Amino acid sequence: SQTIHQWPATLVQPVGSPLSLECTVEGTSNPNLYWYRQAAGRGLQLLFYSVGIGQISSEVPQNLSASRPQDRQFILSSKKLLLSDSGFYLCAWNFDRGTEAFFGQGTRLTVV
Amino acid sequence: QKEVEQDPGPLSVPEGAIVSLNCTYSNSAFQYFMWYRQYSRKGPELLMYTYSSGNKEDGRFTAQVDKSSKYISLFIRDSQPSDSATYLCAMGSGGYQKVTFGIGTKLQVIP
């Protein structure tokens, strides 16, 4: 069966520091991978998606970037965090972009 | 108008009640309909998935889709305190189109 791992679970970072969140999927090949941010009262915001190695699409221009160095690895990064980057970040995967996706357990990022 | 509308609640019900959660949508291209359950500080968990109008049952949960009215529902029978969570509806049209999520309804089942 497929599983998705996301770490760390919580993170407190100072403003201006770099960020690296990692997500890996096991038990499948060539999945679509996603990064979402979830803010209270605002639902899930799609940040990035990837249909293959090195292929990244950005949904919302911002202070973040994403990379997919391996088939089942997806990384969310920032060179300099802003206070507004605080939130709950979720990684997800699926096979067909328009159908059900499966989520990791999330990373709660607090920028101080 | 948002593509998917969902009442954020909160919704409080006594244990054992039947819960009805609903979403409306405007995009007639949506063909896949999902419900996710999200416990506090956890990732969403896929609860139900359907791609046709009508009902789909799984234990105490029933998902209902009415494409003509652009309306989907999730019913929870004999609700339990462990059902207390946020329920998100989601919809997609397949292919290369992204899934669109509702804002989520927070449910509290009181013992």
Side-chain angles (χ1 to χ4, degrees), chain A residues 18-32:
Chain A
L19 173 73
S20 181
L21 302 181
E22 190 164 340
C23 170
T24 59
V25 180
E26 295 179 356
T28 185
S29 296
N30 198 31
N32 297 319

Side-chain angles (χ1 to χ4, degrees), chain B residues 67-89:
Chain B
K67 290 186 179 180
S68 62
S69 300
K70 297 189 178 66
Y71 189 89
I72 70 169
S73 299
L74 178 70
F75 298 97
I76 306 174
R77 291 184 300 279
D78 186 26
S79 56
Q80 303 294 309
S82 58
D83 295 327
S84 297
T86 296
Y87 290 81
L88 297 96
C89 63

Side-chain angles (χ1 to χ4, degrees), chain A residues 36 38 41-44 46 59 88 90 94 96-106 108, chain B residues 32 34 36 38 41-44 46 49 88 91-99 101-103:
Chain A
Y36 287 88
Q38 188 176 35
R42 296 183 62 183
L44 282 165
L46 179 62
E59 288 288 310
F88 191 49
L90 290 156
N94 68 6
D96 184 341
R97 198 174 165 220
T99 64
E100 76 277 22
F102 302 92
F103 287 85
Q105 288 303 294
R108 185 159 301 279
Chain B
Y32 301 92
M34 294 143 277
Y36 288 84
Q38 185 176 21
R41 297 180 176 272
K42 298 291 185 182
L46 183 64
Y49 167 72
L88 297 96
M91 307 175 191
S93 53
Y96 290 97
Q97 299 304 311
K98 66 180 181 181
V99 170
F101 287 84
I103 199 170

